[in-house]
Structures are given as C-alpha cells and as structure tokens.
Amino acid sequence: MSRRYIFSSESVGEGHPDKVCDTISDAILDACLTVDRGSRVACETFAKSNIVVVGGEITIPKIGRKPIGEAINIDKVVRDAVRGIGYVHDDDVFHADRIFINNYLTTQSPDIAQGVDAKKAAHKKTAEQGAGDQGIMFGYACEETPELMPAPIMFAHRLGRELTRIRKAGKLAKWLRPDAKSQVSVEYVDGKPTRIVNVVISTQHTADVEHPVIEKFCIEQVIKKVLPKALLTKDTEYLINPTGRFVTGGPQGDSGLTGRKIIVDTYGGTGRHGGGAFSGKDPSKVDRSAAYMARWVAKNVVAAGLAAKCEIQFAYAIGHPQPVSVHVDTFGTGTKPDDAILAAILKVFSFKPADIVKQLNLLRPIYSKSTNYGHFGKDDPDLTWERTDKAAALKKAIA
C-alpha cells in the first residue's frame, strides 16, 4: 500500500525583518575577514522601525585591542547592507540613509579565546584549535532535486529569489517592495514528490496596486515560471497575499533579529536541526562551520550513490579539537550498511575545527553570499560545501 503525505517548507525574502538582520550580521563578518582572515566574530543584529542595534564580540588580531571602529566603518557596512536589500524608497520608515544605528560590539572574551585558539593552555596536552562552542550540528542531502536538497524548501527559495530578481530589475512590477515570504506544500508518494498541493506567496507592495494584479502576477510571472510544470496540477491551490493587503512590512511592520530563520537557512524542516544559527559567526564557531561540513559530507554520500538520502550529526565540546560523536543515518536507503558508510566518511574527511576551515577554505569574506535563500543548494564556487569532489574517494573507501 502506498504511503502518501504532504510536507511544507517556507522561505523568506531578504527584506524580511529577520533576514535584514542576518544580512547585516554577515556583512559585518565579511568586512572583518576582509581586514584580517583571523578575525573572530559573533555579531547579532536587532531591527525595529528606524533603529538598528548591532552587538556581540569581535576580535581583529591585526588591530589588537583597539576599537573595532578603527578598522571597520560599522555604520557604512550597515547602511550599505540595507541599501543592497532595497530599503531606499521615500516612504520607507526603515530607510538606508535614515536609520539610527546603535553599536554595542566589543572584543571576544579571553576565556573563550584560550579554549579556541591553537595555543597550548595549561590544561591542554596539545596545541590544536578547539571548537568555538559545544553543540550538535546536522547535515542533510537527498535525490529529490538537482541540488540534492529537499523539494519543498528548494521550490520555496526559487519563488523568493525570482521575486527579488524581478523587484531589483525594476521594470516588470514596480509596486514590489522588499519584504516577502513563500511556502510550498508537496505531496509525497512512497517518499517521492509527486505534485505541488498549494503555494503561498505574501509579498509587500505599494498602496496603489490592486490585489487582483498582485495575484495574477505572482501566479503567472513567478510561480508558473520557476516551479516544475509537471508538479503543478489543475488542483494546485494558489494563496497570494491571503490577508488582502501587505503595504507595511520590513522592520517597520515587525521586529527582526539575527538567527531566527534557522529552518529557512537549512532544509526547510526535513531532517533535524541542532539549533545553532549561522549568520554573523566566523568559522571557528562550529554552529556554522560544522553544519557546512555536515552538508558537504551528506551531499557527497548521496552523489556517490551510497544512499538516496543521508543525514549526518556531529557533536562538539568547546575548546576540544575532535567531535565527541559522529552519527550517520541513510533512512534505509543506503546501498551499504550505515556503519560501513560512516567508516568510509571517517577515512575521507577530518572533522577537527581547524581541518574543516582548511578543507572548505572558510577564512574568506564569502558569507554574504550564503545569507539569503538558504545556505545550501546554491551553485556558487565560493560556497565550497556544495562541492561533490569527494564522491569518488568515498566509493573507493567503502569498496
């Protein structure tokens, strides 16, 4: 008997209040890494109305204990990030040139630094870089899409990305504004996506456009152009701006905070999540770097044909260089036993924080590319965790 179920995932546009904050935090991270690849960054952002608050801990070795402002113009970084999103209209309360910026960035605690830095502390036997925090991280991959990502989240991202492309082009729908959400519900039969049940788009707009115009545009110019035609049926339901009006948006309409869209950032609810956010954190923080590593490993397992879907979990202790556990689950789709796949993974990859940074070349100002429309499933050579360059090595290791 066939097993049927519906699974839904959402994405948010870069003008969503939480994504505004993620964008600012990653822009500050990239600015720090541009000055010094050894920068340690934990930057949080809060936004509401016409106010942006940035806070956290940043250490830039090149400038020592001097104020961060001597190396980076934080106000300029914040305003440029907001301007890049598109909050530049005269009627925007949240406007790149008019926001008030409160800066509460300080240097990193020496108590954390001594556990993370690759120096031999009194209690350490070796001088290796340790994990920047304790915690658990997951990575996932599957055969549902060319990107080896779950279909619902990839479809939701496609909608948001297309809305942004059209808005920034400024020709087809001049009434579009930055804040937006998308959601796609997919019916599965025996674990395979078979049809799109419904699509939800909520997009901010100017006050002078009528709802039927928005509805027709989103269905004809966005949904039907970017989602697979084979999965859209006569029964697919389209819910466009379901409240009927979305003029007040962004931080004017709702507060934003870094790290509140962790499911949007990863796999849309498919698989598990360790709970750690990504944006604003340098790669010494395993919340980010080990999650990227886990995606790389899981994607290579699937690309190697060892499983149709794969989830991997790491766990770390702050200051400790090795993960305290590594677990693999192929959900019964593996062509080899999970313990054999795990043994091959441990032969091919190293999960020490310093080795993760080296293998993925993470000490570069690349993180603004990852912020919006998912950290995974993008075709960009700078996002090295999306490579499938270890598939052959995994197949050889398990043979």
Side-chain angles (χ1 to χ4, degrees):
M1 184 177 179
S2 297
R3 179 176 180 247
R4 294 174 177 266
Y5 63 92
I6 298 171
F7 196 89
S8 305
S9 294
E10 76 155 345
S11 180
V12 299
E14 57 197 64
H16 183 281
D18 294 331
K19 272 296 153 194
V20 169
C21 294
D22 286 345
T23 299
I24 291 170
S25 292
D26 274 336
I28 290 172
L29 168 62
D30 279 350
C32 293
L33 291 173
T34 299
V35 172
D36 189 334
R37 289 163 58 96
S39 295
R40 293 285 165 78
V41 181
C43 178
E44 311 287 347
T45 304
F46 169 80
K48 176 57 187 164
S49 299
N50 62 344
I51 295 172
V52 171
V53 180
V54 292
E57 300 76 45
I58 294 179
T59 296
I60 304 175
K62 187 173 285 187
I63 67 169
R65 305 296 291 183
K66 294 178 182 177
I68 296 160
E70 292 192 19
I72 297 169
N73 185 337
I74 296 294
D75 275 25
K76 183 178 186 304
V77 173
V78 172
R79 293 186 193 281
D80 285 351
V82 173
R83 187 174 294 106
I85 292 168
Y87 283 110
V88 292
H89 300 93
D90 290 341
D91 58 350
D92 285 336
V93 170
F94 189 80
H95 188 291
D97 297 326
R98 299 197 296 263
I99 52 175
F100 294 92
I101 300 169
N102 299 300
N103 180 356
Y104 300 104
L105 293 166
T106 63
T107 55
Q108 186 185 51
S109 162
D111 294 341
I112 295 175
Q114 75 171 0
V116 177
D117 291 344
K119 297 177 181 178
K120 189 173 180 181
H123 68 291
K124 284 187 173 182
K125 294 180 180 179
T126 59
E128 289 191 82
Q129 179 180 327
D133 202 352
Q134 71 176 52
I136 56 175
M137 303 86 205
F138 288 92
Y140 185 84
C142 63
E143 294 180 335
E144 293 177 18
T145 63
E147 300 90 350
L148 302 185
M149 286 283 289
I153 188 64
M154 287 309 298
F155 295 165
H157 287 328
R158 288 181 197 176
L159 296 171
R161 193 178 291 114
E162 182 66 3
L163 277 171
T164 297
R165 186 194 68 77
I166 292 170
R167 173 174 60 83
K168 290 188 174 181
K171 295 179 180 179
L172 193 57
K174 295 183 179 181
W175 44 264
L176 282 172
R177 289 296 182 262
D179 198 355
K181 281 186 172 186
S182 55
Q183 182 174 287
V184 180
S185 300
V186 177
E187 182 181 58
Y188 287 76
V189 178
D190 294 333
K192 295 185 182 299
T194 58
R195 70 183 180 100
I196 294 173
V197 178
N198 56 62
V199 180
V200 184
I201 291 179
S202 295
T203 182
Q204 186 186 12
H205 57 87
T206 58
D208 58 350
V209 63
E210 298 294 328
H211 180 77
V213 173
I214 300 171
E215 185 174 47
K216 182 178 179 180
F217 169 81
C218 288
I219 294 172
E220 300 298 330
Q221 301 298 323
V222 180
I223 295 171
K224 290 185 177 180
K225 288 196 173 181
V226 304
L227 297 187
K229 290 181 174 58
L231 297 182
L232 293 172
T233 73
K234 61 181 178 60
D235 296 320
T236 300
E237 184 181 18
Y238 303 110
L239 301 167
I240 312 300
N241 281 13
T243 68
R245 180 180 169 89
F246 187 4
V247 173
T248 302
Q252 179 186 357
D254 194 5
S255 61
L257 189 65
T258 300
R260 282 204 299 205
K261 288 294 174 280
I262 58 176
I263 301 302
V264 171
D265 287 345
T266 52
Y267 307 102
T270 301
R272 286 166 280 201
H273 196 294
F278 299 157
S279 291
K281 297 177 181 177
D282 77 84
S284 74
K285 281 72 172 174
V286 285
D287 274 348
R288 186 172 212 161
S289 57
Y292 288 176
M293 184 71 182
R295 164 64 177 168
W296 186 38
V297 174
K299 189 173 183 180
N300 276 272
V301 168
V302 174
L306 299 178
K309 62 176 70 173
C310 178
E311 181 183 79
I312 185 164
Q313 184 209 51
F314 306 137
Y316 288 88
I318 189 168
H320 191 65
Q322 291 279 11
V324 295
S325 71
V326 182
H327 173 69
V328 171
D329 189 348
T330 62
F331 307 94
T333 70
T335 59
K336 301 284 186 179
D338 286 358
D339 57 353
I341 294 174
L342 175 58
I345 287 170
L346 295 174
K347 286 180 185 178
V348 173
F349 301 95
S350 172
F351 304 122
K352 294 181 179 180
D355 291 344
I356 291 174
V357 170
K358 184 177 180 181
Q359 290 170 103
L360 294 178
N361 193 17
L362 295 179
L363 292 177
R364 296 171 294 140
I366 59 172
Y367 296 99
S368 291
K369 290 186 172 186
S370 71
T371 312
N372 292 295
Y373 311 113
H375 290 243
F376 309 126
K378 292 176 177 173
D379 183 15
D380 188 315
D382 279 337
L383 308 185
T384 50
W385 49 91
E386 291 300 313
R387 301 177 308 195
T388 54
D389 54 329
K390 295 297 183 181
L394 280 172
K395 285 192 281 190
K396 184 178 178 181
I398 206 169

